[in-house]
Amino acid sequence: MSQSKFIVRKVAVLGAGVMGAQIAAHLVNAKVPTLLFDLPAKEGDKSAIARKAIDGLKKLKPAPLAGKDRADYITPANYDEHLALLKDCDLVIEAIAERIDWKSDLYHKVAPHLGEHTIFATNTSGLSINKLADACPADVRSRFCGVHFFNPPRYMHLVEIIAASQSDAHILDNLERFLVTTLGKGVVRAKDTPNFVANRVGVFSMLATIHNAEKYGIRFDVVDDLTGPRLGRPKSATFRTADVVGLDTFAHVVKTMQDTLPEDPWHSLFKTPAWLAALIEKGALGQKTRQGIYKKDGKQMFVLDPAKGEYVEAGQKGDDAVKAILKEADPAVRFKKLRESQNPQAQFLWACFRDVFHYIGYHLADIADNARDLDLAIRWGFGWSVGPFETWQSAGWQQVAKWIDEDRAAGNALSSAGLPAWALDGNRAGVHFPEGSYSATKNTLVPRSSLDVYARQLAPARVLGENAPKLGETVFENDGVRAFTSGDGVLVVSFLSKAHAIGPAVLEGLNKAIDLAEDQYQALVIWHEDAPFSVGADLQSMMPAFMMGDWDAIDATVNQFQATSMRLRYSQIPVVAATQGYAFGGGCEFVMHADKVVAGLETYIGLVEVGVGLLPGGGGCKEFALRAAQQAKGDVLAALKDYFMAIATAKVGTSALEGQEIGYLRKTDTVVFNAYELLHVAKSEALALAEAGYRPPLKVKAFPVAGRSGAASIKGQLVNMLEGRFISQHDFTIAGLIADVMTGGDVDAGTLVDEQWILDLERKAFLSLLKNPLTQARIANMLTTGKPLRN
């Protein structure tokens, strides 16, 4: 008899601090009603502490709530009045302070109120799960485990599940299914060791970097310049990351390692530096107190000089010679140059890498089930684009192992501990292979999880050395797109351009894909394995015609863009757009014309053309004018105004839910929380439309517009914005043209027009702006700096 399906109807989070409140926020993002508990307030509303935390979620940046109404689905609660509500919760997550005694007391209090099948989990970042399990009644221990979210929970992909010795395997599988699909997380099963996988390695890496910065005399701002995007890591790099996490939080994790890892050969490194302790002592805790390792005074940024114990002006960069080494394409050559260079910054970087390689090689058996889990944990939990084992393997396993051993023998490494025999095996080429990744405890290669939820990930995150998933046979490919199929009746088209910008080759390829889909397939899906969906029109491709003043050629390109949008709308097969990351400008317009959108939660969507001095020219103005007419209850202008402001202010939805609120996405579009499931869901939606006997929408013959009086009303508001200096004169010009287009041009209010009428107005206005020197300056600035120009 099969086990019953696990459904999470309601969750309780115990603890309304930073992590607890934000975990609750992400649960309600995913439509999971959530109770947020905290201590009873001493006077007045006993749930005031939780209520205040919920209100605070609305003000945080980056926003933990993906939609403005989501906070309404978190119910504030307290331990005096509401414990009885726990019996109706399928999952209870404890997220109070990192003290075993406090957690134990809470477990005794709440355990009698848990439902018979409730999963009880702790969000501890490093305490022993088995010790915490011992604090639970015997009948709860099989349902108890660790579930470690990373901060901020909405945005960080990693969640570690840590089993206690008595945890039921089936319950852990159910929890993993929920975390992966409902909450969109990347799950790593961690061992019950201090700080688990990601924090154990990630914090060690930060400590090694701090130590080596002191050893080689590298300023903190230079360290951050060298250890951020140049290494494929977040912009916050090392010291800014500590500020963002909170210096007190960072110090707590370090102390956990100090207290619980006395036998670790690197134990002498596990201590809070004196300068860091001094900052904490005076309350300079980083970003949350607006002063930490960095502080801002006016527009000037300052950074701590630990030797002087005072702040100095920040902004110094790494040496050009070292940055040149980091640009070396071949990892083996890059590491050889770093190691052999006499430049202190190069020596510093080699030492940082070497120490991490040394640590993970020595500790793999203790820390993780296999090398893949460790690499993915660091990629997902610390934002590295490449995991440490992947980096080691790409640079030549044998050579790096030899260098580590030489440095260790010479006393240059942070520990004299030798690498284990498996790492020094003369036949070893790495740890990741098509058959699986190396497990030091099992001394074999282990495959990926076979849990059914991963069958939904048609293009999962891969590590170096694994076989890339076969996504189908190529049906057609040009310089702009690849169209492929897996034999399921769906043609999938992916853009090949940088940032999936839409230029002539993409337009040509997409039209060819529509032709093929109409002729031989049931549906078409537009999907890219990596974000973004599209940054919009490829302005660079227009530059030759622009420089020659060939306006007819540009007009033809815009016309083709519009025609492609309309083909997406009225093709004979269902078209589904699967989005993640940016869907800007022309990319947004393609999305708006698809029959259905399957949007990853972190889809940032908007018609942002005003940033380059233009207006939407691929059907965006037309689409909003049409939607306003269809939604109007006798007043087209009233329905149009919010749509107009979205375009005129380049308003971006900072989640798929916000995209729905603004109107770029429809309420009927599907939001998917795990981006690795996008293709699976998009194909399912496309085939469902086809199976339902899909017919394209009937072409809209006529719809009412707001006319010149509507445009005049909008322009009256624009005058006030101009006089109040909220917009520039050129902004006013652009917005006025947008108003003219969206209201149907020089016609009476209520005049009936068709889609082509608005498209023609849109194209004419687009070209007129393109000829404007102020717009040309905005385009040039964007192409050269990547930033918008306000002129």
Side-chain angles (χ1 to χ4, degrees), residues 274-396:
W275 58 263
L276 180 56
L279 287 175
I280 295 170
E281 177 69 25
K282 67 179 184 180
L285 305 181
Q287 187 171 277
K288 58 191 172 186
T289 60
R290 299 187 179 181
Q291 181 174 330
I293 296 170
Y294 288 89
K295 74 169 184 177
K296 196 171 186 180
D297 188 354
K299 293 185 177 181
Q300 179 62 48
M301 186 67 73
F302 292 86
V303 65
L304 182 73
D305 180 333
K308 298 178 180 176
E310 58 189 44
Y311 290 94
V312 296
E313 282 193 23
Q316 285 196 19
K317 305 293 183 184
D319 287 353
D320 289 343
V322 176
K323 290 187 283 189
I325 294 174
L326 293 178
K327 290 177 181 177
E328 172 62 54
D330 184 337
V333 175
R334 184 163 67 247
F335 279 99
K336 186 173 188 293
K337 287 183 176 180
L338 285 175
R339 188 169 187 266
E340 292 178 353
S341 172
Q342 296 304 303
N343 187 304
Q345 293 178 16
Q347 294 173 339
F348 156 76
L349 285 171
W350 160 247
C352 291
F353 277 108
R354 176 205 61 215
D355 293 337
V356 171
F357 295 157
H358 193 183
Y359 195 76
I360 61 175
Y362 183 89
H363 278 302
L364 176 59
D366 314 327
I367 295 174
D369 177 69
N370 59 77
R372 181 196 312 107
D373 284 354
L374 191 149
D375 273 346
L376 290 178
I378 293 298
R379 279 164 51 177
W380 293 342
F382 278 77
W384 295 17
S385 60
V386 182
F389 274 126
E390 293 177 283
T391 305
W392 181 350
Q393 183 168 328
S394 70

Side-chain angles (χ1 to χ4, degrees), residues 507 511 542 551-567 590 617-619 756 759-764 766-767:
L507 292 173
N511 277 282
M542 288 188 187
W551 304 112
D552 288 343
I554 294 175
D555 184 58
T557 298
V558 178
N559 191 49
Q560 187 188 17
F561 210 121
Q562 292 180 338
T564 304
S565 292
M566 295 298 279
R567 282 205 74 191
F590 280 177
Q756 192 58 50
L759 289 172
D760 290 343
L761 291 173
E762 196 178 81
R763 195 170 67 256
K764 181 181 177 182
F766 183 94
L767 284 165

Side-chain angles (χ1 to χ4, degrees), residues 94 98-100 103-104 107 122 124-135 144-146 162-165 191-196 256 260:
E94 170 269 306
E98 294 285 83
R99 283 185 49 171
I100 285 184
K103 290 178 187 286
S104 298
Y107 295 177
T122 174
T124 179
S125 60
L127 298 177
S128 168
I129 301 303
N130 278 298
K131 281 187 180 179
L132 291 172
D134 289 343
F144 182 80
C145 66
I162 312 95
S165 59
K191 296 185 177 185
D192 187 19
T193 56
N195 290 345
F196 314 130
T256 299
T260 58

Side-chain angles (χ1 to χ4, degrees), residues 478-482 494-507 528 530-538 541:
N478 71 353
D479 290 340
V481 309
R482 174 186 177 235
S494 296
F495 302 167
L496 303 178
S497 50
K498 182 180 179 181
H500 305 132
I502 302 163
V506 170
L507 292 173
H528 313 307
D530 300 309
F533 178 77
S534 175
V535 293
D538 182 3
S541 67

